[in-house]
């Protein structure tokens, strides 16, 4: 069995790490470069860096910040936010990113998934999906969760795989920042409808059972968290030790 991955996430706004609840009420969570180094040193499996306002502000991800973070980490590093073209991806990969995550651009221009996976290889392309319950089903949202696309999650995960994405980063907008546990139903749906790895995001609390549940019941390949790591309510090493005790295969 492949080891399950633990991935801290740095949500970046104005060059600072921030964290909110349900995509709202952002608060300062620390210096991105220092946090990145800390998580790399602690044994996180990967790191995700999301410039969360780049799309709505119609600008590119801060390349200088990406370069600074890349110099401090020795684990795979995914960057997302405001990426709209092959050139954008090339710039970020040259700045030190190992993978790029596309979200709104993937929905608006699905061919970008095909072109980028053909150009860089599918292992470099992560499609990030923000989803929410609407009238009993899960729908895909874009523009930092502001716009309901009307596309069902089950349909979109199949399409992104067919177009060549190497991985899906799935964020539950309902669970985001609540620390009440990951959205098992949503993650399970995505995992069952897709043959590529699914990273579950949104809702992690300082309870290792949240992670055990999303791996076993939600079939997630990786779990992403922010608040619990940034504010030291649970550390990466302690979480991994607990998961190991519960029979979850993780890299220690």
């Amino acid at each position: 069995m492949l080891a399950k991955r633990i991935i801290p996430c740095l949500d970046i706004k104005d060059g600072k790490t921030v964290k909110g609840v349900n995509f709202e009420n952002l608060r300062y969570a620390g210096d991105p470069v220092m946090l990145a180094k800390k998580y790399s040193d602690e044994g996180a499996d990967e790191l995700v860096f999301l410039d969360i306002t780049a799309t709505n502000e119609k600008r590119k991800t801060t390349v200088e910040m990406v370069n600074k973070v890349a110099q401090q980490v020795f684990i795979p590093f995914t960057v997302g936010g405001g990426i709209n073209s092959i050139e954008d991806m090339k710039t970020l990969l040259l700045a030190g990113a190992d993978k790029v995550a596309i979200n709104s651009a993937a929905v608006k221009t699905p061919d970008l998934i095909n072109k980028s996976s053909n150009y860089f290889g599918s292992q470099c392309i992560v499609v990030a999906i923000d989803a929410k319950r609407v009238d009993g089903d899960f729908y895909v949202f874009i523009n930092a969760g502001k716009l309901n696309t009307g596309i069902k999650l089950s349909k979109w995960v199949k399409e992104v795989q067919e177009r060549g994405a190497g991985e899906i980063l799935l964020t539950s907008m309902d669970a985001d920042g609540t620390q009440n546990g990951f959205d098992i139903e949503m993650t399970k749906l995505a995992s069952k409808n897709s043959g590529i790895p699914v990273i579950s995001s949104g809702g992690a609390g300082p309870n290792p059972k949240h992670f055990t549940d999303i791996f076993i019941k939600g079939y997630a390949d990786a779990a992403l968290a922010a608040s619990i790591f940034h504010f030291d309510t649970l550390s990466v090493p302690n979480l991994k030790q607990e998961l190991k005790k519960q029979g979850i295969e993780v890299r220690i």
Side-chain angles (χ1 to χ4, degrees):
M1 186 175 91
L2 287 176
K4 301 296 186 181
R5 291 170 288 149
I6 302 299
I7 306 177
C9 180
L10 304 175
D11 290 327
I12 309 298
K13 184 177 187 293
D14 301 327
K16 298 175 182 176
T17 310
V18 295
K19 192 68 195 89
V21 177
N22 307 129
F23 286 33
E24 303 288 346
N25 304 317
L26 302 177
R27 60 175 173 149
Y28 177 65
D31 176 75
V33 179
M34 290 177 63
L35 285 172
K37 185 178 187 309
K38 171 189 167 187
Y39 298 139
S40 181
D41 292 347
E42 284 184 346
D45 296 294
E46 298 187 19
L47 187 70
V48 168
F49 173 113
L50 299 175
D51 192 331
I52 60 173
T53 58
T55 295
N56 285 347
E57 292 173 3
K58 295 182 171 57
R59 60 174 175 78
K60 307 300 181 189
T61 298
T62 308
V63 177
E64 184 183 351
M65 180 71 74
V66 171
N67 187 255
K68 286 180 180 176
V69 170
Q71 290 177 34
Q72 297 296 328
V73 301
F74 301 96
I75 52 178
F77 173 37
T78 301
V79 177
I83 300 171
N84 297 299
S85 67
I86 296 291
E87 284 306 311
D88 291 343
M89 296 177 188
K90 193 181 295 184
T91 299
L92 293 169
L93 291 168
L94 287 172
D98 297 285
K99 309 177 194 177
V100 289
I102 50 176
N103 188 333
S104 299
V107 175
K108 293 173 183 175
T109 317
D111 278 350
L112 183 60
I113 306 171
N114 305 65
K115 290 174 182 175
S116 58
S117 62
N118 287 335
Y119 192 96
F120 299 107
S122 60
Q123 77 285 349
C124 283
I125 308 303
V126 179
V127 171
I129 303 173
D130 298 329
K132 187 176 183 178
R133 282 176 179 77
V134 180
D135 298 327
D137 211 332
F138 296 107
Y139 286 87
V140 175
F141 281 67
I142 59 172
N143 293 9
K146 299 287 190 289
L147 179 65
N148 184 351
T149 64
I151 301 169
K152 287 188 176 182
L153 175 64
S154 55
K155 176 180 179 291
W156 184 230
V157 295
K158 288 176 184 173
E159 183 172 345
V160 300
Q161 177 192 349
E162 289 165 0
R163 287 182 176 275
E167 201 162 31
I168 290 168
L169 169 53
L170 176 67
T171 299
S172 167
M173 294 174 62
D174 299 312
D176 176 67
T178 63
Q179 298 196 23
N180 292 325
F182 293 97
D183 194 322
I184 293 170
E185 186 184 355
M186 179 185 288
T187 307
K188 183 178 179 181
L189 176 79
S191 298
K192 290 285 191 181
N193 281 280
S194 168
I196 55 177
V198 173
I199 304 166
S200 184
S201 167
N207 183 351
K209 189 176 186 298
H210 291 170
F211 291 82
T212 306
D213 285 346
I214 201 62
F215 290 139
I216 294 174
K217 298 177 183 178
Y219 303 104
D221 297 274
L224 179 146
S227 304
I228 58 168
F229 298 141
H230 300 339
F231 302 116
D232 296 318
T233 52
L234 182 63
S235 72
V236 172
N238 287 346
L239 170 59
K240 285 193 168 188
Q241 290 292 348
E242 286 300 317
L243 291 174
K244 197 82 170 175
K245 288 178 187 175
Q246 297 302 316
I248 303 294
E249 184 66 32
V250 290
R251 296 184 192 90
I252 300 289

